[in-house]
Each structure stands twice: as C-alpha cells, then as structure tokens.
Amino acid sequence: MSLTLSRIAIFVIYFWFGFLKLIDSSPANPLVKSLLNKTLPFIGFDQFIIFLGLWEMVIGISFLIPRLEKLAITIFAFHTATTLMPLFILPIIAWKNFLIPTLEGQYMIKNLITIALAINIVSQAKSIKK
C-alpha cells in the first residue's frame, strides 16, 4: 500500500507541476528562465519550458508504472540535479542570508523529500521483484 501511495504522490507532484509549465501558469517559470539564461542562453525559453513541462509529466507517469523504475529514477536524477542548481548558480534568488532560503530556495530544498520518495519507490520495487 505504501508503494502505491508513494507512486501516486510523486505522479501528482510531477504531472501537475509539469502541466502548469505547459500552460504558462507555473510560479517557477521566472526561476527556470533565469537559470536557463545563465546556463544555456542559446536555447529559447518558450521551447524549453514546453520540453521541461513534458519531461516532468513523463517523470510522474513513469513512476506510476511498475517496471519503469529504472527509467523513472534516471530521468528524475537529471531533473533533480537541474532543480538544485539555482541554490549554487543563482544564490541571489535562492538565499536571503546564510542558511536562510528565500521562498524559491525553500521550493528547491523541498526536493529532498522527492529524492527520498523516489529512492523509497525504487528500493521497495526492487524488493518486491526478488
């Protein structure tokens, strides 16, 4: 039961947040745009945000489907690395002061929860297969 709830929780988070990017309603879009301009300025934001939204939706769907954990964790790892980048690359956006995150910084730090949830899903799925 906890594996199913974990899968549903990560699906809801990633699918919903990805969908918000597709319809240009995500409060994270300005942060994504700033990070994109700093790291990959040759890529247009309008195309990138669609790609990112779809990528997040695929992450959510892949965690829902048993036996796709390897794919899910792989694409999740790349996504997570990019979502944590602003903590280091855009410190003015992520931090008010030493160890005091802005609202955006808190949004990034909460990804520790999704990392733990993803690891839990993969480890439980592996133990079920054995």
Side-chain angles (χ1 to χ4, degrees):
M1 181 67 165
S2 68
L3 179 57
T4 301
L5 290 175
S6 296
R7 288 180 186 279
I8 291 169
I10 209 161
F11 164 76
V12 168
I13 292 166
Y14 276 87
F15 196 88
W16 185 1
F17 288 8
F19 181 73
L20 290 176
K21 287 177 180 67
L22 289 183
I23 62 171
D24 196 29
S25 294
S26 173
N29 282 10
L31 177 62
V32 172
K33 189 172 191 172
S34 294
L35 183 61
L36 183 66
N37 288 338
K38 183 125 180 153
T39 58
L40 302 168
F42 51 88
I43 296 177
F45 175 75
D46 293 336
Q47 295 79 24
F48 181 78
I49 202 68
I50 290 170
F51 167 77
L52 181 60
L54 291 171
W55 185 12
E56 289 178 352
M57 293 168 77
V58 168
I59 290 170
I61 292 167
S62 62
F63 271 108
L64 259 188
I65 301 169
R67 310 249 185 259
L68 286 185
E69 293 88 7
K70 190 180 264 190
L71 169 67
I73 202 73
T74 301
I75 60 178
F76 169 83
F78 284 113
H79 180 271
T80 301
T82 62
T83 60
L84 294 175
M85 285 171 68
L87 292 170
F88 309 102
I89 294 176
L90 300 170
I92 196 158
I93 291 174
W95 302 100
K96 283 184 182 181
N97 244 321
F98 181 69
L99 296 180
I100 302 173
T102 62
L103 184 58
E104 292 87 352
Q106 289 179 27
Y107 179 80
M108 292 173 241
I109 293 167
K110 67 88 184 116
N111 285 332
L112 295 174
I113 296 168
T114 58
I115 292 167
L117 187 59
I119 291 168
N120 182 51
I121 291 169
V122 171
S123 66
Q124 282 191 43
K126 282 183 180 179
S127 68
I128 290 171
K129 289 177 186 176
K130 290 183 179 181

